[in-house]
Amino acid sequence: MQAETAIDFETDEETEELEVSGSAPTLDLQPPPFADVHDGPDYDKTQVTVELNNSHRLKGKLVKFSAASESIAIMEPRAVVPTEIEMGSVKYMRLEKPYQLMIVTAQTPGINVDTDARTFEVFFKDQSELTGNTFGTRTDKNGIHLYEQTKVGRKWRYCVHLFVPHTAIDNHIIGGQIGEMLVEEDVISQEVLDTALQDQQEERSRLLGEYLVTQKIVDSAELENALSRQKHMPNLKLGEILVGEDLVSEGQLNEALKEQKKKRKGALGEILVNRGVINKDEIQQALAKKLGIPFVNLREFVVEPDVIRLLTAAIAFKHKVVPLYVYEGKIVVAIENPMDWQVTDALSFNINKYVEPVMASPEDINWALQFYYSSEDIESTIAEFDEEMETAEEDEDYDSTIFSAVETQQVTDNVVVKIVNKIIEDAHRQKVSDIHIEPGMGKQKVIVRFRKDGVLTTYYKFPTKYRSVFVSRIKVMAHLDISNKNRPQDGKINFRHFAPVDIELRVATIPTAGGIEDVVIRILSGGKCMPVNAIGLSTPNLDNLLAGVSKPYGLFLVCGPTGSGKSTTLHSILNYLNNNERKIWTAEDPVEITQPGLRQVEVNEKVGMTFSYAMRAFLRADPDIIMVGEMRDQETAGTAIEASLTGHLVLSTLHTNSAAESIVRLLDMNMDPFNFADAMIGILSQRLTKTLCTSCKKSYVPDESELEFLATEYCREAIPDGTRSDPEEEDVKKQLEIWKQEYSHDGEFTLYKAPGCPACLDTGYRGRMGVHELLMTSPTIKGMILRRAPAAEIHFEGVRSGMHTRKQDGIEKILMGYTDYTQIRTI
């Protein structure tokens, strides 16, 4: 996964915590073994280079290297907060300042110290390698620490610290090949070694299938090499393979063959699956292992458009195949069952080429069909548009990068509408929240990116000529001023007027350098309301929240930054309260979630329908419950408090960092502390954290140090703000005992990691859930409001009265297996 960067700038508390936790105790680095270090890097000050598995490099000052949390943090140049990186996403880390060593020559009893550097070879999973000489090694649970030699003098040796995680390594050798060492020591002869290597090579060839199963092919060079080796594999029948692998018995196979002969159709594998004898995954693994059939990772394999066009979408979807590559005059296609001769024969007949089948998972095949054949629609539309441009340029002196309003309207009415509609439809189908259209300067392409689960990914890169027409088309749809490119504009699109998709879009255009405009489209899909017990609230938080909002009047707030799920939470609460006995009014900007029984008003400041104006109107419309989308100003907040004191339940949101800060924010808006203290029911602070991918997450038993680390971080939240000291050892032990009763099974804890898979795009995370902090009022809290106590004092009074902080709530979700500490740390 890529590096995750904390983005909460509203308080220095979390930054301070990371800096403190990144001090010496969490920099788990040591100098070379058995060496006298004359000079070396100050770990908390030195510069490091971190290369990620995706080849992206980060440079900066090392802030944290923690074995317990399996993460690294660096402060990049000009960064405000450190970048935190999971060790699982790191390829290697190199400290830039070298150690200056004098090798210890005295012999330690039982240890033979080699004063010379030994060779090392590291073979990475991405097929690259790293070689050099090292002055000793250290190995821990996260990886190998090498001390890479840079230069050697008469007295001093110099080396830099190199760390390589286990997750990035395919194989490694320290000190040369063992066979060569045995020959050098005259233990064996070169002839004996050569014979052994030949036997080893034959054994490896027999295990080619196992290699192809574990190492999914991701490019055409690997595929061509694998297909060449596949020629030498024996021809076996599926039944023979499954019996040989002890996956089915002779009797089960004979019964399936009888059924196949009787029906005169149907693949043998399909019959065995339908009879419950075996599953599809086992068949695929057996075929790949025995036949050496290449197993392709379609999500990383890039297929050229010319190859996709060799197979029509109708044929590809009918037979569930994806064309990949033209190899020695044959077309290589990915298929779930490469021994299904009926499919390969049908393909050969349709495209008049010999078909070479390779294997892919059914999930990957479905994904690739949607991805490539949707892209083909875009490619064909682009080609159609290019023809129109060429015709226009022949007719007149035409600038293809600058369009007048009239020209843009002509293009809009013809071709570009297809592309824009396709972008929006694909975004809606993929459950995307935002579409970013980013035209480049000069000859740079127009990049379209989608935000899903809070992360941006590239959807498509369009030619430069689409720079202006895309923006103009979207402006036309949103009824914005096409000619005005010098100021930001906001608008809305009712997309069902343009395509058979019932969604609304919120559009923002922003002028950027070079006279270009960016467009950001928020998709308001009119999503269904989630039940209040499905938004991730812990049992104590859920019970307290429902008890609070069940009161007939008062003020309940949900706070957090933009995109933290506040509106979803409010609608979940309204769904719980919604019945025929209550009248519920809502004022929202915009209305994203609709519910039967709610009377929902959309704020429109252009016509004077502000939050405060809507609130005053609601008070004359006999409400029981009022929901205000946001308390943006003093007037709205004052009206809300007055409404809550006159027999109405008021729900609203605030853009604040914590529950306690919401109280201070409202008091700073000149709210009467007496009225506010009487009105307030409670405040829920929340964030969204990524959850582990359910398709690839794997359980493991944490060691004692990891549990102690989590317990220490949990208990530290109860220490008054400003001290940042470690909690008492006794408190940590007590917390571990409490967890043992709640989360362990027979005294053993189970945590989870997700290495990544195609379903989560190899990130290890899929979906998000809420992490909460619920502050309910009490007589003590009301007294603190009356005397305008600071936020820190209110916060720790809440903790003393039983409130769990967001961090504590997140750690509990780690223990329940939903997420990991890296994600909780970012929020």
Side-chain angles (χ1 to χ4, degrees):
M1 104 172 240
Q2 295 182 354
E4 291 290 326
T5 306
I7 57 170
D8 188 1
F9 297 105
E10 294 188 86
T11 178
D12 293 329
E13 291 177 14
E14 292 187 13
T15 305
E16 290 172 7
E17 183 176 337
L18 184 53
E19 291 172 351
V20 172
S21 65
S23 59
T26 56
L27 288 171
D28 301 329
L29 300 173
Q30 298 181 51
F34 310 113
D36 185 9
V37 179
H38 176 74
D39 188 21
D42 295 325
Y43 295 128
D44 58 343
K45 296 180 181 177
T46 192
Q47 297 291 315
V48 297
T49 299
V50 178
E51 179 161 332
L52 305 179
N53 291 325
N54 60 6
S55 300
H56 185 58
R57 285 193 178 184
L58 304 174
K59 293 189 176 185
K61 185 178 75 172
L62 185 62
V63 176
K64 182 176 77 169
F65 186 98
S66 172
S69 62
E70 301 183 6
S71 61
I72 300 170
I74 65 171
M75 183 67 78
E76 296 182 84
R78 297 182 298 279
V80 179
V81 293
T83 299
E84 186 153 347
I85 314 162
E86 278 191 326
M87 288 187 187
S89 65
V90 174
K91 184 175 180 180
Y92 66 82
M93 179 189 78
R94 182 182 276 117
L95 278 66
E96 295 183 1
K97 183 177 179 181
Y99 297 96
Q100 184 179 358
L101 310 176
M102 177 182 286
I103 303 298
V104 178
T105 56
Q107 296 299 302
T108 304
I111 300 175
N112 181 22
V113 180
D114 189 353
T115 59
D116 294 320
R118 303 176 66 194
T119 62
F120 72 86
E121 296 175 86
V122 177
F123 304 95
F124 293 99
K125 290 180 178 178
D126 63 2
Q127 309 302 313
S128 63
E129 60 183 74
L130 194 63
T131 60
N133 297 316
T134 179
F135 290 103
T137 63
R138 294 184 187 276
T139 303
D140 58 29
K141 71 171 187 175
N142 297 308
I144 302 171
H145 298 262
L146 301 165
Y147 302 89
E148 189 178 16
Q149 175 183 300
T150 54
K151 62 179 181 177
V152 177
R154 292 184 178 180
K155 182 178 180 182
W156 305 106
R157 278 93 164 139
Y158 296 88
C159 61
V160 294
H161 196 132
L162 177 66
F163 168 74
V164 185
H166 292 309
T167 52
I169 300 174
D170 188 32
N171 195 8
H172 72 282
I173 300 169
I174 307 294
Q177 300 280 2
I178 188 169
E180 296 170 356
M181 294 170 65
L182 293 173
V183 171
E184 290 174 2
E185 298 294 328
D186 291 328
V187 176
I188 62 172
S189 66
Q190 185 66 45
E191 184 179 355
V192 171
L193 173 62
D194 291 340
T195 303
L197 289 173
Q198 184 176 355
D199 292 341
Q200 182 188 50
Q201 189 61 39
E202 291 175 0
E203 179 66 16
R204 284 176 176 169
S205 69
R206 286 196 292 271
L207 296 176
L208 171 63
E210 289 189 27
Y211 169 81
L212 292 172
V213 172
T214 56
Q215 302 292 324
K216 291 186 178 181
I217 294 168
V218 297
D219 61 42
S220 56
E222 289 182 15
L223 181 57
E224 189 170 333
N225 188 31
L227 289 170
S228 298
R229 287 183 287 180
Q230 187 189 0
K231 293 177 182 178
H232 306 293
M233 299 301 294
N235 291 321
L236 297 174
K237 294 182 179 180
L238 176 61
E240 295 173 359
I241 294 170
L242 298 179
V243 172
E245 289 293 302
D246 291 328
L247 294 172
V248 301
S249 67
E250 288 279 1
Q252 290 171 327
L253 175 62
N254 290 333
E255 289 294 326
L257 289 172
K258 287 179 183 178
E259 184 177 338
Q260 185 186 39
K261 186 176 181 180
K262 186 177 181 181
K263 292 183 176 180
R264 296 185 180 181
K265 63 179 181 179
L268 176 62
E270 184 178 344
I271 293 172
L272 288 168
V273 170
N274 292 337
R275 294 172 70 93
V277 175
I278 194 172
N279 61 50
K280 288 184 178 180
D281 290 341
E282 289 175 318
I283 292 177
Q284 282 197 310
Q285 297 291 324
L287 287 173
K289 183 176 179 180
K290 280 292 183 182
L291 299 182
I293 295 173
F295 207 115
V296 181
N297 185 345
L298 293 181
R299 306 207 184 211
E300 294 188 23
F301 197 105
V302 178
V303 186
E304 297 298 327
D306 291 343
V307 177
I308 289 293
R309 294 191 188 102
L310 292 175
L311 211 59
T312 65
I315 294 175
F317 276 93
K318 177 182 177 181
H319 298 293
K320 296 288 184 183
V321 296
V322 180
L324 301 178
Y325 182 57
V326 176
Y327 166 72
E328 295 183 353
K330 299 171 286 189
I331 181 170
V332 181
V333 299
I335 184 174
E336 182 183 347
N337 178 13
M339 296 186 69
D340 190 342
W341 59 268
Q342 291 176 326
V343 171
T344 54
D345 279 4
L347 292 175
S348 296
F349 177 78
N350 276 285
I351 59 179
N352 198 26
K353 279 183 181 289
Y354 182 79
V355 172
E356 183 84 70
V358 297
M359 195 178 300
S361 70
E363 294 81 11
D364 276 12
I365 290 172
N366 288 333
W367 174 87
L369 288 172
Q370 294 293 334
F371 181 83
Y372 284 112
Y373 285 96
S374 293
S375 299
E376 185 185 24
D377 292 342
I378 291 176
E379 295 281 359
S380 62
T381 306
I382 288 175
E384 183 182 346
F385 179 53
D386 288 345
E387 290 179 6
E388 290 193 7
M389 292 299 97
E390 289 174 4
T391 303
E393 288 169 357
E394 290 173 1
D395 294 342
E396 55 181 298
D397 185 12
Y398 195 85
D399 186 346
S400 62
T401 63
I402 301 174
F403 293 83
S404 68
V406 175
E407 291 163 342
T408 300
Q409 188 63 49
Q410 292 172 347
V411 172
T412 299
D413 290 342
N414 292 302
V415 180
V416 175
V417 62
K418 298 180 183 178
I419 302 179
V420 173
N421 286 1
K422 180 66 177 171
I423 292 170
I424 296 170
E425 289 170 11
D426 283 354
H428 174 61
R429 188 179 67 251
Q430 296 176 30
K431 298 181 180 178
V432 168
S433 62
D434 298 271
I435 303 169
H436 292 248
I437 299 175
E438 303 165 336
M441 298 180 64
K443 296 183 179 180
Q444 295 177 351
K445 292 187 175 183
V446 180
I447 299 174
V448 177
R449 297 196 290 169
F450 287 171
R451 184 182 296 279
K452 183 179 180 181
D453 289 339
V455 178
L456 281 169
T457 56
T458 300
Y459 165 76
Y460 204 86
K461 295 182 179 180
F462 292 89
T464 309
K465 65 183 71 178
Y466 293 90
R467 177 186 298 161
S468 297
V469 291
F470 275 0
V471 178
S472 298
R473 168 59 185 164
I474 294 167
K475 281 185 173 182
V476 168
M477 295 169 72
H479 305 289
L480 301 179
D481 185 355
I482 295 178
S483 62
N484 194 329
K485 301 181 180 180
N486 300 318
R487 63 179 178 85
Q489 297 186 63
D490 297 322
K492 294 179 182 178
I493 298 173
N494 189 339
F495 192 61
R496 59 178 172 268
H497 293 162
F498 304 95
V501 181
D502 189 12
I503 55 174
E504 290 191 7
L505 311 172
R506 185 168 59 186
V507 177
T509 66
I510 303 175
T512 54
I516 301 168
E517 288 181 282
D518 277 29
V519 179
V520 178
I521 303 173
R522 166 68 60 89
I523 299 178
L524 311 174
S525 56
K528 294 182 179 179
C529 180
M530 294 177 64
V532 72
N533 60 358
I535 60 175
L537 287 164
S538 65
T539 300
N541 282 344
L542 179 61
D543 291 343
N544 290 331
L545 183 145
L546 295 182
V549 299
S550 296
K551 295 179 179 179
Y553 60 89
L555 176 65
F556 186 86
L557 300 174
V558 180
C559 67
T562 301
S564 60
K566 298 187 298 297
S567 296
T568 300
T569 298
L570 282 181
H571 272 279
S572 296
I573 296 171
L574 289 176
N575 183 52
Y576 173 77
L577 298 172
N578 188 9
N579 59 43
N580 290 331
E581 298 175 357
R582 294 188 174 105
K583 178 77 170 187
I584 303 175
W585 287 98
T586 74
E588 303 169 70
D589 183 21
V591 174
E592 298 186 51
I593 300 172
T594 58
Q595 294 187 57
L598 268 58
R599 309 312 301 157
Q600 297 176 260
V601 174
E602 190 157 282
V603 169
N604 186 349
E605 295 189 1
K606 293 179 180 178
V607 298
M609 179 60 79
T610 61
F611 281 119
S612 58
Y613 188 84
M615 278 281 292
R616 290 195 299 272
F618 292 164
L619 291 175
R620 298 190 296 269
D622 189 27
D624 292 297
I625 300 172
I626 296 172
M627 191 270 270
V628 186
E630 183 183 344
M631 287 191 177
R632 293 180 179 174
D633 51 51
Q634 180 180 345
E635 186 179 1
T636 304
T639 307
I641 291 174
E642 290 176 10
S644 65
L645 291 173
T646 55
H648 307 97
L649 178 64
V650 180
L651 310 176
S652 189
T653 70
L654 270 177
H655 286 272
T656 50
N657 184 54
S658 68
E661 287 182 17
S662 300
I663 295 174
V664 176
R665 173 74 61 83
L666 287 171
L667 292 174
D668 288 344
M669 292 168 67
N670 294 322
M671 295 300 101
D672 186 332
F674 291 95
N675 289 340
F676 181 33
D678 285 341
M680 197 185 84
I681 296 172
I683 302 174
L684 181 71
S685 172
Q686 71 176 52
R687 299 288 189 279
L688 292 178
T689 184
K690 293 181 183 177
T691 51
L692 296 171
C693 174
T694 54
S695 298
C696 64
K697 78 173 184 178
K698 297 178 181 178
S699 62
Y700 71 96
V701 178
D703 55 32
E704 189 175 342
S705 62
E706 184 172 359
L707 290 171
E708 287 182 357
F709 171 79
L710 291 175
T712 300
E713 293 298 310
Y714 189 94
C715 294
R716 184 177 280 123
E717 292 293 289
I719 300 173
D721 196 28
T723 62
R724 292 297 177 196
S725 58
D726 288 334
E728 297 291 335
E729 186 176 346
E730 191 63 30
D731 293 335
V732 174
K733 289 182 179 178
K734 286 181 181 178
Q735 190 58 53
L736 285 171
E737 287 299 319
I738 294 172
W739 286 352
K740 194 170 287 187
Q741 295 177 13
E742 294 182 3
Y743 302 111
S744 70
H745 180 69
D746 294 333
E748 186 175 84
F749 288 87
T750 302
L751 299 185
Y752 292 84
K753 289 182 182 178
C757 67
C760 60
L761 302 180
D762 292 322
T763 63
Y765 303 98
R766 187 161 50 130
R768 293 187 292 175
M769 74 181 304
V771 176
H772 305 95
E773 173 182 287
L774 179 61
L775 177 65
M776 302 299 293
T777 53
S778 65
T780 306
I781 295 290
K782 289 185 176 183
M784 298 174 82
I785 294 174
L786 293 176
R787 61 181 176 85
R788 296 179 179 269
E793 191 176 334
I794 297 173
H795 174 82
F796 280 97
E797 172 55 34
V799 172
R800 281 190 290 271
S801 62
M803 180 184 77
H804 284 190
T805 66
R806 289 197 309 272
K807 189 172 185 179
Q808 289 176 326
D809 189 49
I811 291 174
E812 289 176 351
K813 285 178 170 63
I814 294 172
L815 297 172
M816 289 187 283
Y818 292 119
T819 187
D820 56 26
Y821 188 76
T822 301
Q823 293 304 314
I824 297 304
R825 189 66 197 85
T826 62
I827 61 171

